[in-house]
Amino acid sequence: MRVLACVKRVPAPGAKISITDDAQAVDSTHLGFAVSPHEECGVEGAVQLVEQFGGESVVLTLGAPEAEEQLRYAASVGVNKAVLRWPPTARPGTRNGPLEQSRQQSKPWKRPTDHST
């Protein structure tokens, strides 16, 4: 059996979040990051399932290279494999970063008009 746990890099619980001077982004200079507490439970559950039934546990995150820290946490809990995916066209702070991509994907779909008649 292969068990997949998906995690994301989030500000550490209880951290004070500051905004940049231009109010366009979160200032992460002194901000600590962690795995979401709910996802920690998922990682631990994946490890326990593999211990009980055998197989392989995998943790996956989408994000910047800094998210490797959260994958290392999952490995310390006992996950067998960690995967970090970062789209090669997405760069932090650009118009094609993860936030802009999610905005594009959340736009309502419109049926193409048929001009053949």
Side-chain angles (χ1 to χ4, degrees):
M1 168 175 32
R2 184 177 296 158
V3 182
L4 174 67
C6 299
V7 300
K8 62 185 171 231
R9 178 180 166 90
V10 297
K16 181 181 179 206
I17 298 177
S18 302
I19 305 297
T20 57
D21 292 336
D22 63 0
Q24 297 297 311
V26 172
D27 182 9
S28 61
T29 307
H30 302 289
L31 187 60
F33 289 90
V35 171
S36 165
H38 300 289
E39 293 160 357
E40 283 183 15
C41 294
V43 170
E44 292 173 13
V47 171
Q48 290 172 0
L49 281 171
V50 169
E51 286 175 353
Q52 186 175 3
F53 299 107
E56 177 183 49
S57 56
V58 181
V59 67
L60 167 72
T61 190
L62 305 175
E66 293 82 12
E68 184 178 326
E69 176 185 358
Q70 284 62 47
L71 296 179
R72 290 183 185 274
Y73 160 76
S76 73
V77 174
V79 169
N80 302 110
K81 188 187 286 185
V83 179
L84 172 63
R85 295 290 300 154
W86 180 250
T89 59
R91 292 182 212 96
T94 64
R95 297 290 296 167
N96 61 351
L99 181 60
E100 184 61 28
Q101 289 179 6
S102 67
R103 284 182 181 147
Q104 292 295 326
Q105 293 171 2
S106 65
K107 289 183 180 179
W109 180 79
K110 293 182 182 178
R111 180 179 298 277
T113 55
D114 184 13
H115 297 289
S116 62
T117 57

